[in-house]
């Protein structure tokens, strides 16, 4: 295989290194690096070795085939206004590496087929949330391990260890396969809402409609709120709300933050405007940016099964990274928080249909 400039660009984005910074570290001129990136110059092996060392990627990575990239128009970022270009490119590059891992999964295991409803052109968030719950046989019951549920329904879930609050989560379609990427820098409650928000984008904005902008974000938020906290169940469990303490005690039932439950209660008319403002003020005063009574981190059932199977074969995650010629740390980033954390009680009928090919 020849040197692949596209893979160099991906590695640079992932490591957040500018051309000048890479040129200085790898001891190449900016002009030469530009020629290499444009495909006009084939680098010598020694040069590739220095570039690989500077970027933290195996030399072999740069000689692979083109990696499918996530088109920016197809990727939704919740905090689009606060995401810097470098952060955005790094996250999108992580998605490209996730595609390689997903292809490895498909080659070695039989995964659940995607099972999402098509909301059509009207894109009513509440209606779409109820339709998907019905299609998945959830009824009005609360959802246990949300990541496990998504995986069981054919959605490929990966984590992002971006160590920044600017990249909440994002989602996209690759052909007819849905992907969700979650930033594990968040609390479990926030991560669950992020996942439901991105699920909303996948359902509401697959055809035609943009998944970016204020309207799309509002629609995805409304979907997530309705999907995680069904109106009938909320009214049944909390017909009257008297205190913030009551909300904090109840939020665990739906696995959401106190702020999200407070908003939902107000939205469906169980809190007055005065109560809503008062509870939000009290939340900020008593807890600041912390989440009261936060849940344990959720984990991935699919990856646990894969890693257990690899263990029986006397193989590890490092073997996957070596086979794909990607840094071990990048694979860890995509699985961080999904494989090593304590698992919460799973939702019923949510076991992934995973088998070895």
């Amino acid at each position: 295989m020849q040197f692949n400039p596209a893979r160099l660009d991906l590695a640079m984005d992932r490591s957040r290194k500018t051309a000048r910074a890479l040129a200085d570290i790898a001891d190449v001129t900016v002009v030469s690096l530009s020629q290499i990136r444009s495909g006009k110059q084939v680098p010598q092996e020694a040069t590739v070795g220095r570039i690989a060392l500077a970027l933290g990627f195996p030399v072999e990575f740069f000689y692979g085939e083109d990696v499918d990239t996530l088109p920016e128009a197809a990727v939704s970022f919740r905090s689009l206004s606060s995401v810097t270009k470098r952060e955005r490119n790094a996250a999108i590059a992580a998605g490209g590496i996730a595609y390689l891992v997903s292809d490895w999964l498909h080659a070695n295991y039989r995964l659940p087929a995607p099972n999402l409803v098509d909301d059509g052109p009207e894109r009513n968030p509440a209606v779409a949330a109820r339709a998907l719950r019905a299609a998945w046989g959830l009824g009005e019951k609360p959802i246990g391990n949300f990541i496990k549920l998504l995986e069981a329904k054919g959605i490929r879930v990966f984590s992002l260890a971006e160590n920044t609050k600017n990249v909440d989560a994002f989602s996209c379609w690759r052909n007819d396969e849905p992907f969700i990427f979650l930033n594990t820098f968040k609390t479990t409650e926030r991560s669950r809402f992020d996942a439901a928000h991105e699920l909303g984008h996948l359902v509401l904005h697959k055809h035609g409609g943009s998944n970016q902008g204020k309207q799309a974000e509002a629609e995805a938020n409304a979907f997530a709120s309705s999907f995680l906290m069904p109106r009938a169940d909320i009214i049944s469990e909390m017909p009257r709300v008297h205190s913030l303490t009551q909300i904090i005690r109840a939020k665990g039932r739906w696995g959401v933050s106190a702020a999200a439950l407070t908003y939902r209660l107000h939205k469906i008319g169980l809190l007055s405007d005065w109560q809503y403002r008062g509870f939000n003020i009290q939340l900020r005063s008593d807890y600041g940016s912390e989440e009261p009574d936060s849940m344990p981190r959720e984990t991935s059932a699919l990856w646990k099964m894969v890693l257990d199977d690899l263990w029986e074969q006397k193989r590890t995650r490092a073997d996957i990274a070596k086979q794909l010629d990607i840094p071990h740390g990048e694979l860890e980033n995509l699985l961080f928080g999904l494989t090593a954390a304590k698992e919460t009680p799973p939702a019923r009928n949510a076991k992934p249909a995973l088998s070895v090919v």
Side-chain angles (χ1 to χ4, degrees):
M1 292 289 293
Q2 293 185 339
F3 181 85
N4 190 335
R7 287 196 168 216
L8 172 57
D9 286 339
L10 186 149
M12 288 178 62
D13 284 341
R14 190 69 201 117
S15 63
R16 304 187 185 190
K17 281 189 171 57
T18 64
R20 181 168 295 279
L22 176 58
D24 289 342
I25 299 172
D27 192 25
V28 296
T29 67
V30 174
V31 173
S32 291
L33 182 59
S34 176
Q35 295 270 336
I36 292 170
R37 294 179 68 187
S38 66
K40 295 178 180 178
Q41 178 179 327
V42 179
Q44 297 179 350
E45 289 184 8
T47 302
V48 178
R50 295 196 302 272
I51 289 174
L53 183 62
L55 296 175
F57 276 71
V59 169
E60 295 78 9
F61 174 81
F62 299 97
Y63 291 93
E65 297 178 351
D66 285 349
V67 178
D68 283 354
T69 57
L70 285 68
E72 291 194 20
V75 176
S76 60
F77 284 89
R78 291 189 60 189
S79 300
L80 187 60
S81 60
S82 58
V83 176
T84 67
K85 182 176 179 59
R86 191 168 297 178
E87 288 172 336
R88 181 181 178 88
N89 289 345
I92 290 176
I97 296 174
Y99 282 171
L100 294 175
V101 177
S102 181
D103 289 342
W104 178 90
L105 271 175
H106 277 294
N108 291 275
Y109 297 91
R110 188 170 294 108
L111 304 176
N115 179 14
L116 291 176
V117 297
D118 193 332
D119 188 54
E122 293 186 3
R123 301 201 308 273
N124 183 300
V127 172
R130 289 196 298 271
L132 187 58
R133 272 184 158 269
W136 286 0
L138 299 177
E140 300 290 328
K141 67 183 181 182
I143 297 170
N145 186 328
F146 197 50
I147 294 173
K148 182 175 181 178
L149 173 65
L150 293 175
E151 290 173 334
K153 302 305 179 182
I155 300 166
R156 315 307 174 211
V157 184
F158 289 94
S159 61
L160 297 167
E162 297 304 283
N163 199 32
T164 174
K165 292 184 178 180
N166 289 340
V167 180
D168 285 294
F170 62 92
S171 57
C172 61
W173 285 90
R174 183 194 187 198
N175 300 321
D176 289 322
E177 190 171 35
F179 285 78
I180 290 178
F181 299 87
L182 300 174
N183 189 344
T184 55
F185 195 66
K186 311 293 182 177
T187 65
T188 301
E189 290 85 350
R190 180 62 181 272
S191 184
R192 281 168 59 91
F193 196 91
D194 284 348
H197 176 104
E198 298 307 326
L199 179 62
H201 277 307
L202 292 173
V203 171
L204 298 170
H205 306 130
K206 180 181 181 181
H207 303 293
S210 172
N211 62 358
Q212 299 178 5
K214 291 183 178 180
Q215 180 179 345
E217 290 301 291
E219 291 171 351
N221 274 335
F223 176 96
S225 188
S226 296
F227 192 80
L228 289 173
M229 297 168 280
R231 178 187 179 92
D233 195 43
I234 291 283
I235 294 174
S236 174
E237 292 293 321
M238 303 185 71
R240 296 179 182 82
V241 184
H242 307 290
S243 67
L244 181 60
T245 300
Q246 182 185 0
I247 293 175
I248 293 173
R249 288 174 179 171
K251 74 185 185 72
R253 174 178 175 82
W254 298 283
V256 297
S257 67
L261 180 54
T262 301
Y263 179 85
R264 180 65 168 156
L265 290 167
H266 177 248
K267 196 70 175 178
I268 62 180
L270 295 177
L271 287 182
S272 67
D273 292 345
W274 179 83
Q275 285 177 304
Y276 179 62
R277 286 193 297 270
F279 287 157
N280 277 321
I281 291 172
Q282 188 179 349
L283 263 176
R284 290 192 294 270
S285 174
D286 293 352
Y287 301 100
S289 60
E290 300 295 321
E291 178 61 38
D293 297 339
S294 187
M295 299 169 57
R297 180 71 61 183
E298 291 189 344
T299 190
S300 162
L302 186 148
W303 273 107
K304 184 178 185 304
M305 295 174 70
V306 169
L307 295 174
D308 286 348
D309 181 67
L310 289 175
W311 183 260
E312 291 181 2
Q313 301 175 41
K314 302 187 184 304
R315 299 168 64 197
T316 67
R317 280 170 285 188
D319 294 315
I320 304 176
K322 185 176 181 180
Q323 187 174 343
L324 296 176
D325 295 326
I326 61 176
H328 187 200
E330 286 299 324
L331 183 61
E332 287 290 332
N333 286 344
L334 292 170
L335 311 185
F336 182 79
L338 301 182
T339 58
K342 184 178 179 181
E343 185 174 5
T344 55
R348 293 181 181 179
N349 301 321
K351 183 178 180 181
L354 179 70
S355 60
V356 179
V357 173

